[in-house]
Amino acid sequence: MKLKKKDIFFQTLENMADTVVQAADYFSQHVSNLQDVLEFANEMKKYESQCDTYTHTIITELNKTFITPIERDDIMDLTTSLDDVMDGLEATASRFYMYNLGKPDEYMVQFAEILRQSAYEIQKAIHLLSQKKLLAIREYTIRLNDLENQGDELLRICIKDLFATVSDPILLIKKKEIYERLETTTDTCEDVANMLESIIMRNS
């Protein structure tokens, strides 16, 4: 029996999720021991550009496909949510370079680990979506919600510590923005989870 070719939309969404995992892995590994900040920013830009290419593929296919495997709006919203996660990672990496920030601190390393774990949960969920195993996705959306809560708590802790320990106002502004960008990126991971929950409700 010939295997059915995977739907272009599901395949491209899987490719996006896989790229987000690669980017989050790279981000997490290098933030903990940042040697070359320009190379770090440039590599993250490559991942972001790859995701933009996948987004363009989805838009092109939506414009020429009459029947889609799930609602067109769901496909587009999920694509945008995945792209937002990648954009958040890349924007943070670029700030390290633009702000000439030295060694990332322990809070940034912890955020990077939360985002790395979130990326893997997203990847597992998106691959289950391709297999139409909708109810099984819930395990990963619950985990993504939990990781986002961890990001919220970490932001509270690091902002409090920042104002207690950093007296240089310029450094304070730089670090505060990076913490907030990292936390916002955990929010975008939760947005992917919420989008998947909507798809489950409409299709199961």
Side-chain angles (χ1 to χ4, degrees):
M1 180 180 163
K2 190 179 177 185
L3 284 173
K4 186 171 178 250
K5 187 177 174 216
K6 190 169 284 185
D7 176 88
I8 183 68
F9 297 108
F10 286 151
Q11 182 62 66
T12 308
L13 287 166
E14 282 188 10
N15 292 343
M16 282 189 86
D18 294 346
T19 305
V20 168
V21 162
Q22 291 162 19
D25 263 341
Y26 180 88
F27 188 92
S28 180
Q29 287 165 13
H30 287 77
V31 154
S32 60
N33 185 28
L34 197 51
Q35 302 290 330
D36 186 336
V37 72
L38 177 58
E39 182 186 0
F40 175 63
N42 285 341
E43 281 300 310
M44 291 302 298
K45 184 64 184 173
K46 288 178 191 174
Y47 288 122
E48 192 261 344
S49 296
Q50 183 61 63
C51 256
D52 284 346
T53 301
Y54 291 135
T55 300
H56 180 70
T57 299
I58 294 272
I59 293 167
T60 302
E61 291 297 325
L62 281 173
N63 284 333
K64 68 182 188 185
T65 305
F66 184 65
I67 298 173
T68 54
I70 55 177
E71 291 288 334
R72 306 170 78 82
D73 287 349
D74 288 345
I75 293 170
M76 196 63 240
D77 289 346
L78 190 54
T79 303
T80 303
S81 297
L82 285 166
D83 194 50
D84 287 345
V85 174
M86 180 62 79
D87 287 346
L89 286 166
E90 189 277 326
T92 307
S94 71
R95 265 34 178 211
F96 283 118
Y97 173 69
M98 287 190 294
Y99 296 165
N100 198 24
L101 200 70
K103 190 176 184 301
D105 61 34
E106 186 53 39
Y107 295 122
M108 295 171 192
V109 173
Q110 288 178 45
F111 266 119
E113 176 58 20
I114 289 170
L115 288 165
R116 189 189 70 80
Q117 290 180 36
S118 297
Y120 276 95
E121 301 303 323
I122 287 169
Q123 183 188 44
K124 291 170 198 165
I126 295 293
H127 281 260
L128 284 173
L129 179 65
S130 297
Q131 299 165 38
K132 300 284 185 75
K133 294 180 178 176
L134 298 181
L135 294 179
I137 292 171
R138 282 239 160 85
E139 175 187 343
Y140 304 106
T141 60
I142 290 166
R143 178 78 178 128
L144 282 162
N145 288 324
D146 178 53
L147 286 162
E148 192 274 335
N149 288 335
Q150 290 179 35
D152 284 347
E153 181 60 25
L154 183 56
L155 182 66
R156 283 191 284 272
I157 293 167
C158 67
I159 294 290
K160 185 175 187 298
D161 186 57
L162 180 66
F163 279 90
T165 59
V166 175
S167 55
D168 177 356
I170 302 299
L171 180 60
L172 189 145
I173 290 166
K174 290 177 181 178
K175 285 192 152 193
K176 183 171 180 288
E177 191 196 336
I178 285 177
Y179 293 151
E180 287 172 344
R181 277 193 175 273
L182 286 163
E183 193 277 329
T184 299
T185 308
T186 68
D187 290 342
T188 63
C189 293
E190 187 179 44
D191 289 342
V192 175
N194 292 339
M195 194 60 241
L196 287 164
E197 282 286 349
S198 295
I199 292 169
I200 292 167
M201 282 192 297
R202 278 197 282 273
N203 293 277
S204 58

